[in-house]
Amino acid sequence: MRFTSTIIIALRALRRNKLRSMLTALGIIIGVGAVIAMVSIGNGAKAQVEAQVASLGQNVISIFSGSFTGGGMRGGWGSAPTLTVEDAEAIASSVPGAIAVSPEVRDRNQILANGLNWNTQVNGESPDYPTIRSWGMASGSMFTEQDVRSVGKVAVIGKTIVDQLFPNEDPIGQTLRIRNIPFKIVGVLAPKGFNLFGQDQDDVVLVPYTSHMKRLSRRTNVSSILVQAATPEVIEKVQQEITDLLTQRRKGKEPDFTVRNQVELAQAATATTKTMTLLLGAIAGVSLIVGGIGIMNIMLVSVTERTREIGIRLAVGAHGSDVLLQFLIESIILSSLGGILGILLGVGSSQLISSLNGWPVLVSSTAVIVAFVFSAAVGMFFGFYPARKAAQLDPIDALRYE
Amino acid sequence: MAPVVQLQDIHKTYDSGEVKVHAVRGVTLNLHKGEFMAVMGASGSGKSTLMNTLGCLDRPTRGTYLLDGIDVAKLGRNELADLRNEKLGFVFQGFNLLARTTALENVELPMLYGTGHGSPGEIRERALHCLDIVGLSQRADHFPSQLSGGQQQRVAIARALVNQPQVLLADEPTGNLDSKTSVEIMGVFQKLNEEGITIVMVTHELDIAHYCKRNLIMRDGRVVSDIQVENRNMADVEMQKLLTAESNAKLTD
């Protein structure tokens, strides 16, 4: 009886002052909504920035063959013919973190097409190469695993080759002669421009590595192997596994290869992620504090204003615990209603903003829970604490309170 | 029959920092069922303090107070609250109604606290009945802001009545009202008293005190006079006089 009538009393008190109830709930709505919106938008932006960094070709591990030494002259990485296609196949099949592998054979050649000629880089690669380098196709498609197996005479060319040899026509399906061997052009790479060192990355022709080895360079070894690790976190592990695997394949002989990763790029990516996470944390923290202060203010003001009401209730026979229970029920109702509306508002507004910006929306459940719990706790504490003080007054003091 | 209220050498000292204010200095008083007493005195005479002590809103510093045979000094906060709820009814000078709450819900309030007041339907019925006693059953759904001062005070009286108290305590119930409305309110009190309810009210208006059966005058925390009122004013007669005077004034205009 006492509990049910307290619920009736609390509901009547909420209904009695609709404006105050709405303002209190609004404080919580804004608090929860702001945190969720800011964190979701921030998460979207973070994912976007990370995707842009990743598009530079992330998580790439390069394996070079050892250096060739002859007559006192040392040849530098890749000069010794020690890496094989079998090494690449072993890496692909027994290193789980390696999601893409491309044996690489490179040399420069004079190429002819359309009555024009051009000296360029001709690389033998596997079909994984565009994935590893995060390199899209402008038109046509990459050659396939089938082309690798059949030692196919197919080629994919860069933007510069198109400009130099096919100035006014579609190169797809046309023939390109390398060392007088005709290759059919199946795809054009998306333009990538110059790299950090001023080299034109689009000045390139890609052919299957088997075709390069058997038809062009006539060699049995590869100059390097490119490997893509699944995530930045596993790079170190994959690198170690590759080293172990290749060492084991050489059966105790002196290691004649070197394994490197893109430390600089990986560091940049990590630093970016760190900065964005820090920024997000700061935004969420500020939103929480602002929201919390808003809730605190409205609760403190309304409870102080209600000291007389508490006095009347005590005078007509309410126990202190009745008054406390009433205020607790009121704040629970307002906090949970406000919290739910705040979640809807936060998710809705972040959806809207990201659809306007074309960002991905990432509503974090942690943010939802933290914002809700924090706002509800602040609302309940500042609704409850002053009410507790008022309920401990003598009724006559509470009644006289102005 | 034992008195409803027995005060034995009541003292009350307020300790506000360095200055000790001795508000009530030894009051001994018996109040029997069916009495209608006015407590009078200048401001600072201790009448409001005495009233708050009677109402269990405040505890005496010294002395014993038996309400309906119960020693109030031995009770805790919650037991005092239950005592106020079951045995006492309050009417304040400033009405002290809950704002933005209908007259009916204001009257229901004391029944929502305490135990054994019945189902919501019974509570509502009883509240309506009390509003009927004070002549406001037609205004049950009105908010205090939509009622006149006299009507608000009658709602407060209905609220005080709703738990069938042993004693009805009124602290300057007519202090904020004009003379005609004051007579109206005194009429309500006289009617309730005739039905057997014990009433104690504080007032500083002599003519209002004349509606009561017993007058207690206080000065400096002590009772200086305790007399039965002879030829007391009756509200219906006085109201008739007021109305006649009013209409005469209109005729001469």
Side-chain angles (χ1 to χ4, degrees), chain B residues 215-251:
Chain B
N215 280 3
L216 195 77
I217 300 173
M218 292 187 70
R219 191 177 301 145
D220 296 332
R222 291 193 183 85
V223 177
V224 293
S225 153
D226 185 357
I227 52 162
Q228 297 294 324
V229 178
E230 291 162 21
N231 308 323
R232 67 183 186 126
N233 292 342
M234 297 310 290
D236 42 357
V237 178
E238 296 301 315
M239 185 56 95
Q240 204 54 53
K241 281 187 200 164
L242 271 175
L243 291 176
T244 317
E246 222 172 60
S247 59
N248 284 344
K250 271 183 193 146
L251 283 176

Side-chain angles (χ1 to χ4, degrees), chain B residues 92-110:
Chain B
F92 300 95
Q93 180 180 5
F95 318 138
N96 275 336
L97 298 175
L98 293 181
R100 289 175 289 267
T101 306
T102 62
L104 185 67
E105 285 181 3
N106 262 300
V107 177
E108 284 180 356
L109 189 67

Side-chain angles (χ1 to χ4, degrees), chain A residues 285-401:
Chain A
V286 170
S287 309
L288 273 181
I289 289 169
V290 170
I293 288 175
I295 299 165
M296 182 186 82
N297 284 351
I298 190 79
M299 288 311 265
L300 280 179
V301 167
S302 81
V303 171
T304 312
E305 181 203 87
R306 292 176 72 180
T307 303
R308 263 173 80 87
E309 176 195 329
I310 292 175
I312 296 173
R313 292 181 185 279
L314 292 174
V316 301
H319 292 185
S321 57
D322 294 332
V323 174
L324 284 187
L325 187 61
Q326 176 199 336
F327 276 77
L328 192 63
I329 293 172
E330 283 183 32
S331 8
I332 288 174
I333 292 174
L334 288 179
S335 299
S336 36
L337 266 182
I340 290 165
L341 286 178
I343 290 173
L344 293 180
L345 178 80
V347 173
S349 59
S350 52
Q351 296 270 14
L352 183 72
I353 291 174
S354 23
S355 75
L356 290 179
N357 283 334
W359 285 348
V361 201
L362 294 171
V363 177
S364 129
S365 55
T366 321
V368 171
I369 292 166
V370 168
F372 184 87
V373 169
F374 181 82
S375 305
V378 169
M380 259 139 68
F381 179 78
F382 286 105
F384 190 72
Y385 176 71
R388 203 175 79 100
K389 267 172 57 184
Q392 282 169 345
L393 288 175
D394 276 328
I396 198 71
D397 293 330
L399 271 177
R400 284 198 191 121
Y401 193 90

Side-chain angles (χ1 to χ4, degrees), chain A residues 16 85 101 103 112 115 189-190 201 213 218 230 238 267-268 303-304 314 343 354 401:
Chain A
R16 210 173 71 223
V85 173
V101 178
L112 294 99
L189 290 163
Q201 300 177 89
M213 289 164 76
R218 296 181 195 283
V238 171
Q267 279 173 347
V303 171
T304 312
L314 292 174
I343 290 173
S354 23
Y401 193 90

Side-chain angles (χ1 to χ4, degrees), chain A residues 14-15 34 63 92 103 142 148 171 219 257 265 334 346 379:
Chain A
L14 288 180
R15 193 196 55 198
I63 303 134
M142 186 62 185
V148 172
R219 48 200 272 195
F257 58 90
L265 206 54
L334 288 179

Side-chain angles (χ1 to χ4, degrees), chain A residues 41-72:
Chain A
I41 293 165
N43 265 334
K46 182 180 165 190
Q48 188 80 347
V49 168
E50 282 173 358
Q52 281 160 1
V53 171
S55 76
L56 297 175
Q58 226 186 338
N59 313 341
V60 178
I61 297 167
S62 306
I63 303 134
F64 301 103
S65 56
S67 77
F68 170 80
T69 308

